[in-house]
Amino acid sequence: LIFNKTPFDIVIKDISEYFHVTFKLPQGKDWSNCTFTSGSLINNTLDEIITTLKLTYELDCVKVDDQNYKISKVKCR
């Protein structure tokens, strides 16, 4: 889990696959200019990664149940 100017939707896809969870993203958004760069996140928990994304993107993310999350706001810079 290392990202280098990776579009946000790909970041979420990779995190989803790694942690075996599902994120529902806002529809109709072009994620190509909304990128994320990080060092290795392999030793981070899912909650730690979500906190990092919340701080980076002013993200609104709600845990629906143990396997599902809903993202309702993403502020790209």
Side-chain angles (χ1 to χ4, degrees), residues 33-52:
N33 291 323
C34 187
T35 60
F36 182 66
T37 299
S38 72
S40 176
L41 300 175
I42 200 81
N43 293 322
N44 294 76
T45 66
L46 177 58
D47 287 338
E48 290 170 336
I49 293 171
I50 290 172
T51 298
T52 299

Side-chain angles (χ1 to χ4, degrees), residues 16-34:
S16 296
E17 290 174 0
Y18 185 80
F19 287 101
H20 307 289
V21 296
T22 301
F23 286 89
K24 181 172 179 160
L25 290 171
Q27 296 296 311
K29 186 154 176 71
D30 177 11
W31 300 108
S32 60
N33 291 323
C34 187

Side-chain angles (χ1 to χ4, degrees), residues 4-21:
N4 184 19
K5 296 182 182 177
T6 306
F8 184 76
D9 59 332
I10 304 300
V11 171
I12 293 300
K13 178 181 149 301
D14 290 351
I15 292 168
S16 296
E17 290 174 0
Y18 185 80
F19 287 101
H20 307 289
V21 296

Side-chain angles (χ1 to χ4, degrees), residues 19 66 69:
F19 287 101
D66 286 342
Y69 293 80

